[in-house]
Amino acid sequence: MSTKYPDAPVSAFSRRRFLQGSAATVALGSMPFSMSLLSRGALAQTGQQAILSGSHWGAFKGIVEDGRAVEFKPWAKDPHPTPMLEGVRDSIYSASRIRYPMVRRAWLEQGPGADPDSRGDGDFVRVSWEEAIDLVAKEITRVRDTYGQQAVYGGSYGWKSPGKLHNCKTLLRRMLNLTGGFTSSIGDYSTGAAQVILPYVSGSIEVYEQCTTYPVLAEHTELMVYWGCDPRNNSQISWQIADHGAFEGMESLKEAGVDTISIDPLLTQTCDYLDGEWVAPKPQTDVPLMLGIAHTLYSEDLHDQDFLDRYTSGFDEFLPYLTGEADGQPKDADWAAEICGLEADTIRDLARRFANNRTMLALGYSMQRQHHGEQSTWMLVTLACMLGQIGLPGGGYGLSYHYSSGGAPTHESPILKAIGDAAGGGDGGSVDESGSDIMIPVARFVETLLNPGETMEFNGNEIELPLVKLAYWAGGNPFAHHQDRNEMLRAWRELETFIVHDFQWTATARHADIVLPTTTSYERNDIEQLGDYALSHVVAMKKIVEPQFEARSDFDIFADIADKMGKGYEFTEGRSEMDWIRGFYEGAKIEARAKGMEMPVFDVFWESNEPLGFPLKDEQKYFVRHEAFREDPILNALGTATGKFEIYSRAIAEYGYDDCPPHPTWLEPIERLDGPTTRYPLSIASNHPRGRLHSQICGTPFRETYAVQGREPCWLNPQDAAERDIRDGDVVRVFNDRGQLLAGAVVTEAIMPGVIRVQEGGWFDPVKPSEIGSLCSYGDVNVLTPGIATSKLAQANCGQTGVADVEKFTDDLPEVTVFSQPSPRDAG
Ligand SMILES: Nc1nc2c(c(=O)[nH]1)N[C@H]1C(S)=C(S)[C@@H](COP(=O)(O)OP(=O)(O)OC[C@H]3O[C@@H](n4cnc5c(=O)[nH]c(N)nc54)[C@H](O)[C@@H]3O)O[C@H]1N2
Ligand SMILES: Nc1nc2c(c(=O)[nH]1)N[C@H]1C(S)=C(S)[C@@H](COP(=O)(O)OP(=O)(O)OC[C@H]3O[C@@H](n4cnc5c(=O)[nH]c(N)nc54)[C@H](O)[C@@H]3O)O[C@H]1N2
Ligand SMILES: [Mo]
């Protein structure tokens, strides 16, 4: 049997080694530039350069020798660099790099929509950049003229690289807005359900807002509950440049000796690090577990009635459901135990300990990425309301402790400006994809392709699903992120044209008709902030190496396309890359001055080759979420209809949705472990990967640090393995009615019986691309997950719902081909 963390990335990475760097932060007021310039001089003598940049994985110096990046050395002040940085560097040079503009042969020779089944078979023809730009511009025009503006889909969801200029998602929409109209998307895959329900419950989306900070937790919290929440895994990355402040935060909890409980089907890295107690309910049964705890609180009079009276509305409408007065079934610990598989005594014990300690409930996102996922978030807030500690130091709930180092204190910094989408839309942040007339919920694109003209209910509105014939993606990987891959393949046949920009031959690029090779962040200049919540520094993202092969930046590509359509000047505004970057910095400099801070002039900042730091004020260091509301609920009312936490929502009641009742409710998902209608014995946890950001860097040698027989690992408990005669290291077939994949078995006690873990983001590698249902030879978990929506309220994805079975694979092993160039013909 394997050790606790069998797929831990192994690398030559040593933290101590990195901490010896000489680099100093450029502090406001003090200017230690000479120091960093000196160290650069010293490096120059060895023929090396160390160039500052940043990524989702953190700030770093790119060490360049003879024009080649030989190492990405974490920034000396990074408290916890991620080993993945090695794979990030590899992504520049990997065998899966897209080298030239490519067009699918059937599309090129026979026209748009030709032979859609041949998508994915790798038969591409190399074309010149000039021809590629011409084809794209003409095709967008043709589709708009033939079917109308809405037939072009530019929702392009995904984790494009950070940077205020080279934001490919925004740049795509900028080009589309300037040249006509298009259909866009709303929401995201991360928090699709929570961000829609929370405005009804607590008055804002909350999931991307700051939590009570770690210095407060370390001082006041007695019991830290990580509920499906693993910051040691998930805070390795951020949406902007990762600061990794959560790692310092967790260290402070450890030093303070705060008790920790982790409620999770897996033994998380966070639980392991904090020596926490591991409580493992069956997946997708957290709502019954929370109800069982709530019932115990109520029946043992451990709930805070004063808090409920003063700060919440609707508890009275929820109570008959909790007690069973409404439906004859008390939601007590015994009832909950039957469903979630824990002992009733354990549930009662949790309730008592939550009530008798200063308790912080830290919730991850996985539970709302499930069928009826709105309910778990709502029920958790309800539970926190009953405990009555919201707004007190170290108590209440937090919804982003695992994400982008939520809880790391926010610095006093200006906000960098960013390029816009030319229609007043924002910077392509993940929530509101404005700037388009027609928007569909982001996870409903496949449904849209299959049902044009039909009406969809969504958050109190009705949307008529548009007819879409052309989809354009830049900075996302739908053939990784969307569920039910086989349904998706069917839907994709409705498209006449699929255009993709990327630097890797992902499954998405392989299924495209036109593929345009882009630069990585490390082949262009940009600027970004450090930390989504910390906002502690501004980082120059400098070009480290020249573009590989014929790669071009998304900015230059879209500028050329816009130019072909007569909007070139409007796209660039006549400004170069460095003009834009300088402009964003100077905008921030003005904002900083208004806040009493003086930033150095741009050239000094850029040349310093160091992040520019900003101060931390005490009130931010010791921030307590909802403190102001607790102090004065009238003056600082929440943004809900009643200004209070809503345990019952009149607005939701009026929508009358059968799959989203007006108070938190246990609703059976379509399938779950031991559920009443379940057809397979194992529940799938498709967690966010430990050694990747979704699918990113899967196509690099870093994959070998976790792959098993060259395949994505599949964790299973020794009991489940023994029943199936599976040993650690075997290749297994994981299957259900929707699809099948190969994976490498990792037999481990770190997962509860009845659950398997196949992390999301493994590259889809169908053995027969034209055949729907074909075996995926690498291990894309989304061949198994359902494409359904959480409910009519949020229409969000259910990536964390799904059951399957596993067997030892004894046939001839098919080759994994997805990590090399698609076909010998295109090698150039
Ligand atoms: N089953 C299951 N499915 C899930 C999830 C789950 O938990 N379970 N999680 C969901 C969640 S929360 C998310 S956020 C999604 C993630 O889904 P995605 O964000 O689509 O996944 P990534 O692999 O990050 O894809 C980003 C792509 O953008 C490319 N890229 C990066 N920078 C640039 C650039 O500058 N220019 C261009 N042109 N391309 C660039 C990368 O090479 C990569 O191919 O997956 C979702 N899917
Ligand atoms: N290393 C790394 N970090 C990432 C990402 C990445 O790809 N790689 N992606 C980033 C993104 S875009 C996002 S949205 C966030 C995602 O953040 P989350 O959605 O919170 O992350 P997950 O890994 O899906 O799940 C977190 C935990 O929930 C547990 N879990 C799964 N199902 C259940 C359940 O039914 N009940 C309970 N109690 N627990 C359950 C899992 O075992 C896991 O330990 O992470 C971000 N951080
Ligand atoms: Mo996400």
Side-chain angles (χ1 to χ4, degrees), residues 101-105 119-126 505 508-515 822-823 825-827:
M102 292 287 196
V103 182
R104 185 169 66 92
R105 183 177 301 278
R119 286 208 185 100
D121 76 0
D123 193 3
F124 286 99
V125 180
R126 179 179 167 183
W505 273 114
T508 297
R510 282 163 202 269
H511 285 81
D513 299 307
I514 302 177
V515 180
S823 98
R825 252 168 301 199
D826 61 27

Side-chain angles (χ1 to χ4, degrees), residues 369-645:
R369 218 178 287 115
Q370 295 176 343
H371 197 201
H372 309 125
E374 294 84 358
Q375 304 304 317
S376 50
T377 309
W378 200 356
M379 189 56 217
L380 185 102
V381 175
T382 301
L383 193 55
C385 288
M386 290 178 72
L387 290 167
Q389 299 182 18
I390 297 171
L392 291 179
Y397 67 93
L399 304 181
S400 53
Y401 279 116
H402 63 295
Y403 181 73
S404 296
S405 285
T410 304
H411 290 64
E412 182 74 11
S413 78
I415 299 301
L416 282 173
K417 307 294 171 285
I419 196 159
D421 69 2
D427 72 346
S430 56
V431 179
D432 182 15
E433 315 294 337
S434 58
S436 162
D437 292 341
I438 307 171
M439 288 197 273
I440 54 167
V442 70
R444 306 323 305 152
F445 182 54
V446 163
E447 188 170 337
T448 301
L449 285 177
L450 292 171
N451 302 283
E454 280 189 18
T455 301
M456 175 184 284
E457 307 245 35
F458 172 51
N459 197 15
N461 297 300
E462 287 190 344
I463 301 173
E464 193 190 312
L465 299 180
L467 174 75
V468 173
K469 286 293 173 189
L470 182 156
Y472 204 137
W473 240 277
N477 191 357
F479 279 76
H481 72 226
H482 191 66
Q483 288 63 52
D484 200 342
R485 190 72 60 247
N486 288 307
E487 182 191 42
M488 177 172 178
L489 284 170
R490 256 191 303 277
W492 237 248
R493 293 178 176 177
E494 302 298 320
L495 285 174
E496 293 183 356
T497 302
F498 181 34
I499 307 173
V500 172
H501 293 196
D502 208 309
F503 47 84
Q504 309 281 299
W505 273 114
T506 60
T508 297
R510 282 163 202 269
H511 285 81
D513 299 307
I514 302 177
V515 180
L516 304 182
T518 63
T519 50
T520 61
S521 291
Y522 326 112
E523 298 157 299
R524 62 197 186 206
N525 294 297
D526 214 324
I527 188 166
E528 188 52 279
Q529 295 191 274
L530 188 78
D532 295 14
Y533 301 97
L535 298 169
S536 61
H537 295 73
V538 170
V539 182
M541 290 173 66
K542 296 181 167 195
K543 181 176 175 179
I544 293 168
V545 292
E546 290 303 317
Q548 299 293 298
F549 302 96
E550 288 191 1
R552 301 181 69 206
S553 73
D554 298 281
F555 181 87
D556 288 344
I557 301 168
F558 287 128
D560 277 4
I561 296 167
D563 193 49
K564 264 273 169 277
M565 298 166 88
K567 298 287 180 186
Y569 182 81
E570 288 83 345
F571 188 89
T572 64
E573 297 177 26
R575 298 203 255 171
S576 71
E577 180 185 70
M578 286 312 289
D579 291 343
W580 283 100
I581 295 169
R582 184 183 291 270
F584 301 149
Y585 182 88
E586 281 167 0
K589 193 171 187 308
I590 291 166
E591 192 189 321
R593 186 174 299 154
K595 290 180 173 167
M597 298 180 289
E598 199 57 52
M599 286 163 60
V601 296
F602 178 74
D603 291 324
V604 171
F605 157 73
W606 193 260
E607 286 308 315
S608 76
N609 206 38
E610 288 298 334
L612 175 69
F614 292 88
L616 176 60
K617 288 193 171 164
D618 260 8
E619 71 223 51
Q620 294 299 336
K621 188 170 175 189
Y622 299 104
F623 171 79
V624 174
R625 181 147 196 94
H626 293 309
E627 186 178 38
F629 169 65
R630 191 180 183 107
E631 268 165 17
D632 192 336
I634 307 291
L635 205 61
N636 305 312
L638 299 180
T640 56
T642 55
K644 299 177 175 187
F645 286 104

Side-chain angles (χ1 to χ4, degrees), residues 692 710-713 740-744 758-765 776-783 816:
R692 284 194 303 262
R711 334 254 148 188
E712 187 67 11
Q740 48 172 339
L741 59 82
L742 294 185
V758 181
Q759 305 182 109
E760 55 104 4
W763 285 17
F764 176 55
D765 192 7
C776 171
S777 67
Y778 177 72
D780 164 17
V781 73
N782 278 327
V783 305
V816 173

Side-chain angles (χ1 to χ4, degrees), residues 295-350:
H295 189 281
T296 307
L297 292 177
Y298 187 74
S299 58
E300 297 188 6
D301 202 22
L302 293 169
H303 67 297
D304 187 335
Q305 191 63 50
D306 290 343
F307 186 93
L308 290 170
D309 292 343
R310 186 140 188 244
Y311 300 104
T312 76
S313 79
F315 185 69
D316 292 347
E317 278 115 324
F318 168 71
L319 192 56
Y321 171 72
L322 185 67
T323 58
E325 199 189 308
D327 60 1
Q329 175 59 65
K331 310 302 175 300
D332 58 16
D334 294 296
W335 168 83
E338 277 293 306
I339 301 170
C340 73
L342 299 175
E343 299 288 326
D345 280 344
T346 305
I347 298 171
R348 283 187 278 265
D349 178 58
L350 287 172

Side-chain angles (χ1 to χ4, degrees), residues 157 159 188-191 208 365 369 403 688 694 760:
Y157 176 73
W159 273 65
D188 62 35
Y189 277 71
S190 311
T191 63
Y208 302 127
Y365 298 157
R369 218 178 287 115
Y403 181 73
H688 285 232
H694 313 298
E760 55 104 4

